[in-house]
Amino acid sequence: MRGPRRRLPALPALLWLALAPLPGAPGPAARAELRVRVRLPGGQVTEESLQADSGSDCISLELRTADGALVTLTADFRQEVKIFRALILGELERGQSQFQALCFVTRLHRNEIIPSESMAKLRQKNPRTVRQAEEVRGLEHLSMDVAVNFSKGAQLSSHIHNVCAEAKEAIYTREEDVKFWLEKGVDGSMFEVLPQTSDLPDLQRCKLCADRWKPCICSYSLSIEWYPCMLKYCKSRDAGGKVSSYKCGIRSCQKGYTFDYYVPQKQLCLWDEET
């Protein structure tokens, strides 16, 4: 497997302003919002919103994709939960509603993204600069084989109630992540295993299914085009020659995801068709 592809570093995009707290001393709770201009794969430029709340220990990123979908990523560090939401424009001429909402909930691993406290300290040097990620991380392909009950989802993360309000019947996660959360004491009654091809031999991928009213396995892809994925550290030497390191900036990344999940009818997955 290939390692991450690297792009040439972008021009200095963000400036670290606040000093890091002393070891063992938590910094004051802070909220911050940052808007950056990022370039999409087709060359279009869009605005991405980044919000951080160190008090609730979460961050949120939101951007509009080239096809008009609104994609949101919420990282709940306290609960180790990551929530992707997509608001997809519907095809009215094909009987769909104005938009369709999807939520994908996965485990948040350490070092995937910088901490909320660090995010809250970022400022831009030049807000008009178009940003491009310094590192392209590999595509992640996830099989979302479990449904999450919206009314009980707050036990998993309090952010599900707000983020997934438009997707009450379309919240998905993975069985392997469910096992991790169950070990942490989360109530298992909020999860329901979805039908798979092993249960229904006739179950096809939606792009191969000719009947719009038959169940199938849908596939949806999204990309977070720019996000702070790592902290950068610089070194300094005091008068006595002792070397110490301090936080002095961030490294930016881009990462794509493809989610496979069960739908009761292909009508709910019209974007996933053979071309």
Side-chain angles (χ1 to χ4, degrees):
M1 180 180 293
R2 292 183 181 177
R5 291 178 289 125
R6 299 199 173 189
R7 293 172 174 160
L8 291 175
L11 293 174
L14 298 170
L15 176 66
W16 193 264
L17 290 189
L19 293 175
L22 294 173
R31 292 186 179 185
E33 180 174 358
L34 192 68
R35 293 185 179 275
V36 298
R37 301 176 74 222
V38 298
R39 192 175 303 281
L40 299 175
Q44 306 97 316
V45 174
T46 189
E47 187 175 79
E48 183 174 302
S49 169
L50 297 88
Q51 296 181 331
D53 185 343
S54 62
S56 61
D57 201 11
C58 74
I59 63 135
S60 177
L61 298 86
E62 186 169 86
L63 76 157
R64 192 170 296 279
T65 63
D67 62 4
L70 187 65
V71 171
T72 304
L73 165 61
T74 300
D76 182 344
F77 293 92
R78 190 169 293 166
Q79 295 298 111
E80 297 179 88
V81 170
K82 192 166 52 180
I83 308 167
F84 298 90
R85 184 195 64 185
L87 298 179
I88 307 160
L89 295 177
E91 298 185 43
L92 301 180
E93 69 280 4
R94 301 179 70 180
Q96 289 190 323
S97 56
Q98 187 173 4
F99 70 88
Q100 187 174 339
L102 302 171
C103 264
F104 303 106
V105 185
T106 65
R107 177 184 174 185
L108 175 65
H109 293 273
R110 289 182 179 273
N111 301 321
E112 282 191 70
I113 194 166
I114 68 171
S116 60
E117 182 179 316
S118 301
M119 183 83 82
K121 296 175 182 178
L122 296 179
R123 302 293 184 271
Q124 293 195 81
K125 288 180 178 178
N126 182 1
R128 299 299 302 167
T129 300
V130 177
R131 316 296 176 190
Q132 189 167 359
E134 297 169 82
E135 179 182 328
V136 178
R137 294 193 165 177
L139 174 70
E140 196 167 352
H141 201 139
L142 306 173
S143 178
M144 311 302 283
D145 47 9
V146 177
V148 179
N149 185 307
F150 173 78
S151 63
K152 298 180 179 180
Q155 300 174 48
L156 183 58
S157 170
S158 60
H159 301 285
I160 288 178
H161 181 75
N162 292 326
V163 177
C164 301
E166 296 94 348
K168 294 179 181 179
E169 303 299 324
I171 308 175
Y172 306 96
T173 188
R174 299 189 299 167
E175 196 165 1
E176 61 186 84
D177 291 332
V178 169
K179 290 177 182 177
F180 169 76
W181 293 320
L182 291 179
E183 290 174 358
K184 292 184 63 180
V186 170
D187 180 9
S189 66
M190 76 175 72
F191 303 113
E192 179 187 354
V193 177
L194 294 168
Q196 301 298 310
T197 51
S198 57
D199 307 314
L200 302 172
D202 293 335
L203 192 63
Q204 296 179 299
R205 290 195 167 273
C206 291
K207 67 180 181 181
L208 302 176
C209 183
D211 188 344
R212 278 198 282 164
W213 307 107
K214 286 186 65 176
C216 53
I217 299 297
C218 186
S219 183
Y220 184 74
S221 297
L222 59 82
S223 177
I224 305 300
E225 292 300 327
W226 189 98
Y227 67 98
C229 54
M230 294 174 61
L231 295 174
K232 288 181 179 178
Y233 290 85
C234 297
K235 292 184 178 180
S236 64
R237 190 185 302 270
D238 62 19
K242 183 179 178 181
V243 177
S244 60
S245 62
Y246 61 95
K247 301 170 187 173
C248 58
I250 59 99
R251 183 172 182 81
S252 60
C253 290
Q254 177 271 334
K255 185 170 178 61
Y257 300 84
T258 294
F259 302 96
D260 293 340
Y261 60 99
Y262 171 87
V263 289
Q265 56 191 41
K266 182 180 176 176
Q267 179 72 5
L268 298 172
C269 186
L270 293 182
W271 58 81
D272 187 17
E273 294 186 317
E274 196 76 82
T275 56

